[in-house]
């Protein structure tokens, strides 16, 4: 029998981590090459690396393990069983976006269906179904068509998204809808190539989901649920982030929908099966319609030979899988997929200033909120004035007390004088014929820390309540807002070349995500006490607000 030559992995294929469709990233070619050399060892067992003296070993299921183990073939009976199961659970979770394909739909009706699927898929990224359902219903009531969404603005979109997290998704939906209306005649593309290249925020997974469900295109999907399901189905114990792992899984997903009459239902069935049956912990294999063909399940059965026991030509051995450590081999399907090493989020310290204005002539209480730039972390949301990523002396208590003055210099037309100048007489504003009493900071009180973790950053918000008082009845006038692009440029330049400092080499102290040390120059507003919680603020900012409210209770 002639030896088969292994085809090299394609460098042009995209990793399915594109646009937060999942959390997986591609590993470097160097890592894959190193892995390949390591897995060519023909021994049955090896000592666990880094544990030479603890007696632990790894079960090397690479030896005698043909690559064909990970190839899904003769798929028709699997599809029949999968669809029969799916038809029975289709409506179990009452998902409003899940509808039966109607072949009589015309172009406009299919485009509307694509819009509905698009919204649901973006909302479901990193978010549970039960959480998404009420958000989806409110969204479709407000924006029933892509035209309605395109005519909206970021404030309205963020107000509906509030509490759902990952706010950049909402901004991309808005920009995507506006592009579709402006350039694509108000209809989402009906093929994955155009969907990925022309619509912001859509990666390979989302494009496949939309085109298969709404347009009945035979294109695969591979989200976290399907990744886990197919890793077990094919007994693939390999680095989940590596390109070769993803190539195998994408090929497996494509096997299920190839030449199918119901590709959208098959994709939804795979996702549903991974989400409800083949779960991360406690999978219910007895309820799985695919268990007869599942190689991980077969491995748990004492009467069935191990998939790795199949003899294979040396040139056909799998070079992707990693050995299974003996202390992790619990005899369950949960040893698949291989556990990925999570990158530790970087840590940053921010000074968050809850600035309150009170006039001596009024009992009203007002708070200063600023709007973040349109791009980056928490795009377009409001927050309390903040200086990001402080370290060293800048994080000292004495420096924190001076931060409000720096911020208000940027935000107010007539900012308060620094503490050492507070005895200076009030000044008249430029071009004013009447005197104006500049407000004073009468209190800066630390409120404590709030820890808020994003996917890639662990933020510690060092919170302080700042009381700004004055004799004027009117709110302190704010500086005019600049355009987001201009503000980003100015603040970025300020970060690169701090005033009074020569240009320095090396990494800036400013966060890579938050290039604006004082993004508040973009837009600011005074908000009455009773409306702060209703503003478009993120979960972290709401935690800050609750902490300050607690401070008032303690010090009252």
């Amino acid at each position: 029998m002639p030896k088969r030559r292994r085809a090299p992995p394609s460098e042009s294929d995209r990793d399915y981590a594109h646009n937060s469709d999942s959390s997986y990233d591609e590993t470097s070619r160097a890592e894959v090459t190193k892995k390949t050399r390591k897995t060519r060892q023909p021994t049955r067992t090896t000592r666990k690396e880094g544990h030479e003296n603890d007696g632990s070993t790894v079960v090397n299921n690479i030896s005698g393990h043909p690559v064909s183990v990970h190839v899904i073939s003769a798929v028709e009976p699997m599809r029949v069983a999968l669809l029969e199961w799916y038809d029975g659970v289709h409506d179990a979770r009452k998902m409003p976006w899940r509808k039966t394909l109607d072949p009589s739909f015309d172009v406009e009706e299919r485009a509307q269906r694509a819009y509905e699927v698009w919204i649901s898929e973006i909302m479901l990224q990193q978010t549970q179904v039960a959480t998404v359902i009420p958000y989806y219903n409110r969204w479709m009531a407000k924006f029933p068509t892509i035209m309605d969404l395109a005519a909206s603005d970021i404030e309205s979109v963020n107000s509906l998204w509030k509490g759902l997290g990952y706010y950049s998704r909402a901004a991309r939906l808005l920009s995507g809808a506006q592009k579709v209306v402006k350039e694509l005649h108000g209809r989402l593309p009906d093929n994955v190539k155009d969907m990925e290249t022309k619509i912001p925020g859509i990666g390979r997974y989302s494009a496949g989901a939309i085109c298969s469900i709404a347009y009945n295109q035979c294109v695969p999907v591979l989200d976290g649920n399907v990744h886990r399901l197919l890793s077990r189905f094919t007994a693939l114990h390999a680095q989940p982030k590596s390109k070769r792992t993803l190539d195998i899984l994408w090929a497996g997903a494509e096997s299920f929908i190839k030449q199918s009459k119901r590709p959208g239902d098959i994709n939804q069935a795979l996702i549903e099966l991974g989400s409800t049956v083949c779960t991360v912990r406690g999978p219910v294999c007895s309820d799985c319609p695919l268990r007869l063909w599942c190689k991980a399940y077969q491995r748990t059965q004492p009467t069935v030979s191990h998939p790795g026991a199949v003899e294979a030509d040396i040139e056909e051995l799998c070079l992707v899988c990693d050995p299974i450590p003996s202390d992790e081999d619990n005899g369950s399907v949960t040893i698949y997929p291989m556990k990925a090493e999570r990158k530790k989020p970087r840590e940053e310290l921010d000074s968050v200033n809850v600035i309150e204005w009170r006039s001596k002539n009024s009992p009203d209480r007002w708070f200063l909120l600023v709007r973040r730039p349109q791009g980056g972390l928490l795009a377009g949301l409001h927050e309390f004035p903040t200086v990001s990523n402080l370290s060293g002396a800048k994080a000292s208590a004495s420096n924190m007390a001076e931060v409000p003055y720096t911020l208000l210099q940027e935000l107010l037309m007539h900012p308060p004088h620094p503490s050492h100048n507070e005895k200076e007489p009030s000044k008249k504003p430029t071009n004013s014929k009447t005197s104006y009493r500049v407000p004073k900071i009468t209190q800066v009180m630390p409120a404590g820390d709030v820890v808020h973790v994003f996917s890639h950053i662990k933020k510690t918000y060092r919170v302080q309540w700042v009381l700004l008082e004055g004799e004027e009845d009117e709110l302190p006038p704010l500086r005019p807002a600049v355009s987001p692009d201009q503000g980003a440029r100015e603040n970025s330049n300020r970060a690169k070349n701090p005033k009074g400092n020569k240009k320095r080499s090396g990494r800036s102290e400013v966060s890579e995500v938050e290039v604006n040390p004082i993004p508040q120059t973009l837009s600011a507003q005074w908000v009455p006490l009773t409306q702060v919680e209703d503003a478009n603020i993120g979960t972290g900012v709401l935690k800050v607000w609750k902490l300050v409210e607690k401070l008032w209770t303690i010090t009252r």
Side-chain angles (χ1 to χ4, degrees):
M1 178 178 174
K3 299 178 181 179
R4 286 189 300 175
R5 181 171 297 175
R6 181 183 301 276
S10 169
E11 295 183 4
S12 62
D13 289 346
R14 293 193 183 195
D15 187 280
Y16 98 99
H18 185 67
N19 277 332
S20 75
D21 272 358
S22 80
S23 59
Y24 297 106
D25 299 308
E26 185 176 342
T27 54
S28 67
R29 178 173 294 277
E31 291 174 317
V32 173
T33 303
K34 183 179 178 182
K35 190 73 60 184
T36 299
R37 294 197 198 103
K38 182 178 178 181
T39 57
R40 283 186 181 274
Q41 301 302 319
T43 55
R44 289 286 176 181
T45 58
T46 59
R47 193 164 297 279
K48 193 173 181 180
E49 186 177 352
H51 297 268
E52 288 83 357
N53 300 318
D54 66 1
S56 62
T57 59
V58 294
V59 179
N60 192 339
N61 64 334
I62 304 302
S63 179
H65 170 144
V67 69
S68 59
V69 167
H70 308 308
V71 177
I72 300 175
S73 59
V75 76
E76 189 56 31
M78 305 175 195
R79 285 202 293 223
V80 171
L82 180 65
L83 288 173
E84 183 178 348
W85 172 83
Y86 178 68
D87 289 340
V89 301
H90 179 273
D91 295 323
R93 292 200 282 173
K94 307 296 181 185
M95 291 180 269
W97 54 84
R98 183 170 284 177
K99 302 175 182 178
T100 302
L101 179 70
D102 189 340
S104 67
F105 275 0
D106 60 21
V107 173
E108 295 297 333
E109 289 171 317
R110 291 197 176 200
Q112 172 62 22
R113 183 77 185 100
Y115 168 67
E116 296 167 1
V117 176
W118 178 39
I119 300 302
S120 69
E121 287 298 333
I122 301 303
M123 285 187 171
L124 285 166
Q125 291 173 2
Q126 310 292 331
T127 312
Q128 295 182 346
V129 168
T131 301
V132 167
I133 289 174
Y135 280 91
Y136 177 85
N137 288 333
R138 288 193 294 269
W139 183 284
M140 296 310 297
K142 178 76 172 179
F143 307 124
T145 70
I146 201 167
M147 308 289 186
D148 297 309
L149 175 56
S152 187
D153 55 73
I154 192 63
E155 285 292 315
S156 300
V157 168
N158 278 339
S159 67
L160 282 179
W161 203 270
K162 184 179 177 180
L164 200 54
Y166 298 92
Y167 289 87
S168 60
R169 295 180 295 172
R172 287 197 295 265
L173 282 173
L174 177 60
S175 61
Q178 291 170 341
K179 184 174 183 179
V180 167
V181 170
K182 183 179 180 181
E183 301 177 13
L184 303 174
H185 310 290
R187 293 192 294 269
L188 284 165
D190 60 1
N191 63 87
V192 292
K193 181 180 178 180
D194 288 344
M195 191 78 76
E196 282 191 74
T197 57
K198 295 183 178 181
I199 310 301
I202 292 185
R204 186 177 179 182
Y205 162 74
S206 295
I210 297 167
C211 288
S212 64
I213 296 171
Y215 296 123
N216 208 36
Q217 298 290 310
C218 288
V219 287
V221 298
L222 189 69
D223 70 343
N225 290 313
V226 181
H227 184 287
R228 179 175 59 257
L229 172 67
L230 294 183
S231 293
R232 292 171 179 170
F233 190 76
T234 61
L236 184 65
H237 189 266
Q239 293 287 340
K241 299 179 181 181
S242 84
K243 182 180 184 301
R244 296 208 289 181
T245 297
L246 297 174
D247 284 345
I248 289 172
L249 296 177
W250 274 111
E254 187 171 10
S255 297
F256 273 95
I257 54 87
K258 191 174 182 180
Q259 297 181 342
S260 170
K261 295 180 180 179
R262 298 173 58 185
D265 285 345
I266 289 175
N267 282 338
Q268 290 179 93
L270 291 171
I271 295 169
E272 185 75 3
L273 188 61
S275 177
T276 61
V277 175
C278 195
T279 54
V280 177
R281 290 172 290 276
V284 188
C285 294
S286 59
D287 291 347
C288 179
L290 299 179
R291 67 182 180 277
L292 295 179
W293 303 277
C294 177
K295 294 183 174 65
Y297 177 74
Q298 293 170 9
R299 189 179 182 277
T300 67
Q301 305 306 299
T303 58
V304 180
S305 61
H306 189 291
V310 179
E311 293 298 330
D313 190 285
I314 188 65
E315 292 297 321
E316 295 179 341
L317 291 179
C318 174
L319 302 178
V320 180
C321 284
D322 268 21
I324 300 174
S326 59
D327 55 353
E328 293 181 13
D329 190 2
N330 56 7
S332 168
V333 299
T334 55
I335 61 173
Y336 305 100
M338 183 179 175
K339 305 300 183 289
E341 291 186 12
R342 296 194 174 213
K343 185 178 180 181
K344 186 178 180 181
R346 70 175 185 270
E347 298 186 11
E348 294 184 356
L349 174 67
D350 294 358
S351 171
V352 181
N353 298 263
V354 180
I355 300 176
E356 177 180 352
W357 158 256
R358 294 185 196 173
S359 170
K360 293 183 178 179
N361 304 319
S362 171
D364 294 339
R365 303 174 67 183
W366 295 79
F367 293 84
L368 192 57
L369 288 179
V370 296
R371 184 172 164 187
R372 293 183 57 80
Q374 294 290 0
L377 192 67
L378 302 173
L381 292 183
H382 296 277
E383 66 181 4
F384 297 109
T386 300
V387 176
S388 300
N389 201 14
L390 297 174
S391 61
K394 292 183 178 181
S396 66
S398 59
N399 184 71
M400 290 291 186
E402 296 298 318
V403 165
Y405 293 96
T406 304
L407 290 168
L408 290 173
Q409 287 285 333
E410 295 277 342
L411 295 167
L412 299 186
M413 292 290 293
H414 314 297
H417 301 295
S419 55
H420 57 276
N421 289 328
E422 278 193 358
K423 294 183 179 179
E424 291 185 4
S426 301
K427 297 181 179 180
K428 293 181 181 181
T430 307
N431 300 327
S432 175
K433 296 181 179 180
T434 60
S435 62
Y436 179 87
R437 295 186 180 273
V438 176
K440 293 182 179 180
I441 293 177
T442 60
Q443 195 163 358
V444 178
M445 184 176 293
D449 290 353
V450 169
V451 176
H452 192 67
V453 181
F454 299 91
S455 60
H456 56 305
I457 307 175
K458 181 181 180 181
K459 287 279 193 182
T460 297
Y461 297 134
R462 187 143 295 165
V463 184
Q464 52 190 14
W465 169 50
V466 181
L467 183 57
L468 184 67
E469 292 185 304
E471 299 181 14
E472 301 292 330
D473 293 331
E474 300 295 326
L475 292 167
L478 300 168
R479 290 185 182 275
V482 298
S483 70
D485 290 340
Q486 180 185 349
R489 284 196 302 272
E490 291 176 356
N491 284 319
S492 180
N493 290 335
R494 189 186 297 116
K496 294 176 181 177
N497 299 294
K499 191 177 292 186
N501 293 331
K502 294 182 179 180
K503 188 173 182 180
R504 297 176 295 177
S505 60
R507 182 176 174 178
S508 168
E509 291 183 350
V510 179
S511 162
E512 293 172 356
V513 174
E514 298 179 72
V515 295
N516 306 326
I518 306 178
Q520 296 80 8
T521 52
L522 297 178
S523 178
Q525 60 179 315
W526 290 106
V527 178
L529 171 69
T530 56
Q531 296 180 19
V532 172
E533 286 192 34
D534 295 327
N536 285 338
I537 59 177
T539 306
V541 177
L542 184 59
K543 292 178 183 177
V544 168
W545 178 246
K546 293 297 183 183
L547 183 63
V548 173
E549 286 185 322
K550 183 178 179 181
L551 174 68
W552 295 335
T553 302
I554 296 172
T555 58
R556 184 172 297 164

